[in-house]
């Protein structure tokens, strides 16, 4: 399953209304650790359909970053039932992400 680009316009539909866990990667194009994190999220998204994988560009969606108190990037939030249930600040390898998602 491909990673979904999320904005304020589709956040509720993609993240909050999902019947699967959703891993949201808050990132920015100028962020070195984000550039390393992106391919890990992409690879995991191709391995499983048990979760939804989404990315939020904080430069283009500051309101979402502020709403979820994202002060450092990359920040990865796991949503279940429309609520944040886990948070990871900084780079995480694939095995750690699987653990966050219960895979």
């Amino acid at each position: 399953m491909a990673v979904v680009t999320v904005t304020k316009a589709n956040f509720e539909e993609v993240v909050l209304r999902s019947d699967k866990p959703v891993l949201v990667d808050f990132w920015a194009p100028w962020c070195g650790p984000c550039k390393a994190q992106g391919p890990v999220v992409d690879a995991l998204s191709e391995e499983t359909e048990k979760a939804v994988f989404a990315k939020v560009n904080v430069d283009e969606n500051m309101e979402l970053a502020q709403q979820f108190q994202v002060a450092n990037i990359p920040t990865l939030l796991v949503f279940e039932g429309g609520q944040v249930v886990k948070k990871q600040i900084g780079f995480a390898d694939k095995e750690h992400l699987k653990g966050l998602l219960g895979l």
Side-chain angles (χ1 to χ4, degrees), residues 4 35 42 52 68 79 93-94 100-101:
V4 180
K35 290 179 183 179
D42 293 345
V52 174
F68 293 100
F79 288 80
D93 65 23
K94 192 188 308 181
L100 288 176
L101 290 164

Side-chain angles (χ1 to χ4, degrees), residues 5-64:
T5 298
V6 176
T7 64
K8 184 180 177 190
N10 67 351
F11 189 85
E12 183 175 343
E13 177 187 345
V14 173
V15 178
L16 302 181
R17 293 187 183 170
S18 177
D19 58 353
K20 298 177 182 178
V22 183
L23 177 79
V24 181
D25 177 10
F26 287 84
W27 70 286
W30 48 263
C31 165
C34 299
K35 290 179 183 179
Q37 187 68 69
V40 176
V41 174
D42 293 345
L44 187 55
S45 75
E46 296 299 325
E47 289 181 18
T48 184
E49 294 193 10
K50 294 180 181 178
V52 174
F53 296 86
K55 293 185 181 184
V56 173
N57 181 328
V58 297
D59 288 343
E60 296 172 356
N61 298 280
M62 283 188 191
E63 193 173 317
L64 283 176

